[in-house]
Amino acid sequence: MTDSTSPFLAVLKPHLSDIGAFTVQRSLPSLPFKTVGPFIFFDHMGPATLPPGVGLDVRPHPHIGLATVTYLFDGEIWHRDSLGSDQRITPGAVNWMTAGRGIVHSERSPDDVRARGGDVHGIQTWVALPQADEETAPSFSHHEASSLPDIFLPGVHMRLILGEAFGEKAPVKVFSPIFYLAVEMEPCAAFVLPPEYAERAVYTVQGEVTVNDEALPEHRMGVLAPGGDVRIVAGDRPARLMLLGGAPLDGERFIFWNFVSSSRERIEQAKAAWTAQEMGKVPGETEWIPLPERKPSAN
């Protein structure tokens, strides 16, 4: 925790998690903050360079009670799910998958990308659904980079991924007040983040910034104190940030593996359904990830 004069309630240091082809840095859930707004999971993948013949292979696995959001800086990922969705995601675009009452999906490197190898770099997040929407019908949507609002300030380029911010609104259907932006800053550039939402955070993907004159190092998530403008200034090299937050969740959420719910009993139901293979199949795939004995969260 930070002192009372700091712009931060806390600065979170991510922990590493292995997803097979490479490790990821996981900032949420964390202590003392499990969530920021509705964001309940935040993974920074890479940057990693995979050799020819090696790719990402996250086998079919289930989700309930959340929406997954994938945003890439480099590389490509092939998404397939039990609804029949079959979609590549490329840098700057958005994949939004609403799990609701249950969905199964896989994430792999496309065959041509796997053959030649290359870079993988991006952010994956989970957004917890409001209690009234936890059992909504599952769905999937893809939004090309050209459909997302771009915001330009001196030396700063922002892309609005979700929600509303800086007078713009993203086309992705969301379930609660939320904002999520990818930001690129030239050296020494600055902007002000207004207090539009009760819960806000800044994550440094690359480079270092100051927030109200307090340093936020690379690969750290600064959870902001509520209320008031914050001035964000890049250091002497380019910086890349993610800004995220929204309204607080409407109650506690429980997490087991890929399941998020306001009900422990619902998570137990999902565990039993997945073990019995009753949550659906990804067309064309026969592999699946068994339920772990003990694991708080996973991709």
Side-chain angles (χ1 to χ4, degrees):
M1 301 292 286
T2 58
D3 64 52
S4 60
T5 63
S6 171
F8 304 119
L9 295 175
V11 175
L12 307 180
K13 180 180 179 180
H15 59 278
L16 298 181
S17 179
D18 187 354
I19 63 169
F22 50 85
T23 58
V24 299
Q25 300 187 74
R26 184 162 297 163
S27 298
L28 293 175
S30 184
L31 292 175
F33 288 91
K34 186 159 77 172
T35 61
V36 176
F39 290 90
I40 199 166
F41 178 96
F42 188 98
D43 260 9
H44 180 185
M45 307 180 295
T49 300
L50 304 182
V54 175
L56 178 69
D57 280 301
V58 181
R59 295 168 291 156
H61 58 281
H63 292 283
I64 66 166
L66 55 87
T68 67
V69 187
T70 303
Y71 187 84
L72 296 179
F73 307 115
D74 292 298
E76 298 183 28
I77 294 177
W78 181 25
H79 165 95
R80 302 175 77 195
D81 63 41
S82 51
L83 301 175
S85 309
D86 188 329
Q87 178 67 56
R88 284 191 189 218
I89 182 168
T90 56
V94 171
N95 274 7
W96 168 281
M97 184 183 75
T98 302
R101 61 176 175 258
I103 198 168
V104 180
H105 77 134
S106 65
E107 297 162 292
R108 302 183 186 271
S109 296
D111 292 343
D112 57 325
V113 174
R114 184 188 305 269
R116 66 175 181 264
D119 296 336
V120 179
H121 190 200
I123 305 289
Q124 286 199 320
T125 62
W126 295 352
V127 175
L129 298 177
Q131 291 185 31
D133 298 300
E134 285 183 311
E135 297 298 316
T136 194
S139 62
F140 175 81
S141 64
H142 175 81
H143 301 267
E144 294 290 349
S146 60
S147 72
L148 302 175
D150 287 311
I151 300 160
F152 294 96
L153 300 170
V156 179
H157 172 214
M158 303 184 187
R159 174 160 292 152
L160 183 59
I161 300 169
L162 300 175
E164 299 182 45
F166 294 94
E168 299 287 347
K169 182 177 181 178
V172 184
K173 178 187 175 183
V174 295
F175 292 82
S176 62
I178 190 173
F179 79 103
Y180 188 33
L181 294 124
V183 182
E184 295 181 357
M185 304 180 70
E186 296 176 3
C188 303
F191 69 94
V192 172
L193 178 65
E196 294 181 272
Y197 296 89
E199 298 185 2
R200 301 170 294 168
V202 181
Y203 179 77
T204 50
V205 178
Q206 292 175 315
E208 181 175 307
V209 299
T210 60
V211 179
N212 285 359
D213 298 323
E214 185 168 328
L216 183 64
E218 189 171 73
H219 303 162
R220 295 292 186 271
M221 179 176 286
V223 181
L224 297 171
D229 292 344
V230 292
R231 179 175 171 82
I232 300 174
V233 183
D236 59 4
R237 61 189 179 107
R240 174 176 276 165
L241 315 174
M242 306 303 285
L243 307 177
L244 62 147
L249 283 174
D250 56 350
E252 185 177 4
R253 293 300 188 275
F254 304 104
I255 306 174
F256 176 85
W257 192 37
N258 305 306
F259 303 140
V260 172
S261 180
S262 58
S263 164
R264 291 188 187 274
E265 292 74 18
R266 180 66 181 93
I267 288 179
E268 291 303 314
Q269 292 170 4
K271 289 163 65 175
W274 180 243
T275 299
Q277 284 291 280
E278 296 172 346
M279 292 186 68
K281 303 281 188 180
V282 177
E285 300 207 31
T286 58
E287 295 182 299
W288 56 288
I289 301 177
L291 190 76
E293 292 185 8
R294 292 182 302 273
K295 198 170 185 181
S297 60
N299 270 55

